[in-house]
Amino acid sequence: MSRANLDKDPDEIAAMFDGVAKRYDLVNDLLSLGRTRAWRKVTTATIAPAPGMKILDLAAGTGSSSQPLAAAGADVIPADFSEGMLAAGRAARPNLPFTKADALNLPFAAATFDVVTFSYGLRNTTDIDKALREALRVTKPGGRLVIAEFSHPLWRPFRTIYSNYLMKALPAIARRTSSNPDAYIYLAESIRAWPNQEELAKRITRAGWSQVGWRNLTGGVVAVHRAIKA
């Protein structure tokens, strides 16, 4: 897969992530210039995990986003549709209950979770709006949605520099560090094609969520959106 579009093939996407699973966390740290840890801390603080809280972490990959939630005492289920990611996660974090799940057809009962969260994976679903509705279905009334996702820098000159970095420097770094550099070209393109902060907020609202807002990180390189199920 070389082009990001709205007609993503789920089997191709899963296979792509299977191929980069073993070094995914390391390459992500390199590609983000080390900012992933800081972004994760903000996302975790937004979720505010606590003992007894039930959290569904969708597109959890190897569980790097799930581990701090579990460490805070929350009952977290890391879910992903990539067998490769799940295998890498189970090897790295055997304490977590990794579960294979399709974000468009979740294998959980309605009103199960206090929080549903996505970390840099919502854009890889084949139907963003359906994924948001499924997340709403399995969330308890009064529960929350938290989405951490690459977004659009606010300052135009920086936005231009960032876009050039995504399409030029990022693939070059990936070719030196990843077994599947084409996957990172796809990821760069998917980031550029992603809705901006306000547009994503509107789609979250249309999916049935309320009180939608967001916080920009690193000048808008990443945005953490949040919402509540009324």
Side-chain angles (χ1 to χ4, degrees):
M1 176 180 296
S2 63
R3 303 300 301 174
N5 55 62
L6 298 178
D7 299 318
K8 305 178 185 77
D9 184 307
D11 292 332
E12 288 186 11
I13 298 241
M16 178 190 73
F17 281 106
D18 289 348
V20 300
K22 290 183 179 179
R23 303 189 69 187
Y24 188 69
D25 290 338
L26 171 62
V27 175
N28 273 352
D29 282 342
L30 290 172
L31 296 178
S32 69
L33 304 179
R35 295 302 298 165
T36 50
R37 290 178 175 83
W39 296 336
R40 189 176 301 123
K41 287 181 180 179
V42 174
T43 305
T44 300
T46 302
I47 294 170
M53 183 182 290
K54 292 182 68 66
I55 302 174
L56 176 60
D57 187 5
L58 290 170
T62 62
S64 56
S65 56
S66 305
Q67 186 62 53
L69 307 178
D75 179 10
V76 57
I77 296 178
D80 205 287
F81 71 154
S82 163
E83 292 283 7
M85 285 291 187
L86 293 170
R90 291 177 182 124
R93 301 176 176 90
N95 60 305
L96 297 178
F98 286 91
T99 301
K100 186 171 184 179
D102 180 355
L104 306 185
N105 186 24
L106 294 172
F108 306 107
T112 297
F113 298 98
D114 298 294
V115 178
V116 174
T117 181
F118 289 86
S119 289
Y120 314 103
L122 179 60
R123 74 180 187 281
N124 295 317
T125 64
T126 57
D127 188 333
I128 296 167
D129 302 308
K130 186 174 181 180
L132 291 170
R133 293 194 299 271
E134 264 293 272
L136 183 73
R137 180 184 68 80
V138 301
T139 301
K140 298 175 182 178
R144 294 177 292 125
L145 174 72
V146 177
I147 301 170
E149 189 55 86
F150 288 100
S151 196
H152 295 256
L154 305 179
W155 189 44
R156 185 181 298 275
F158 179 52
R159 187 161 62 243
T160 300
I161 293 170
Y162 176 66
S163 180
N164 288 335
Y165 166 73
L166 282 177
M167 299 314 301
K168 294 179 181 178
L170 187 152
I173 294 172
R175 288 188 187 97
R176 293 175 178 270
T177 58
S178 173
S179 60
N180 186 4
D182 285 346
Y184 287 89
I185 295 173
Y186 160 78
L187 291 172
E189 292 176 340
S190 72
I191 291 168
R192 290 214 310 178
W194 186 245
N196 66 26
Q197 292 88 325
E198 185 175 356
E199 290 169 350
L200 179 58
K202 290 178 180 178
R203 293 180 76 160
I204 295 170
T205 299
R206 287 198 298 269
W209 295 90
S210 63
Q211 300 182 45
V212 181
W214 68 88
R215 175 181 175 181
N216 288 308
L217 306 180
T218 316
V221 170
V222 162
V224 179
H225 282 71
R226 59 195 181 278
I228 293 176
K229 180 176 179 177

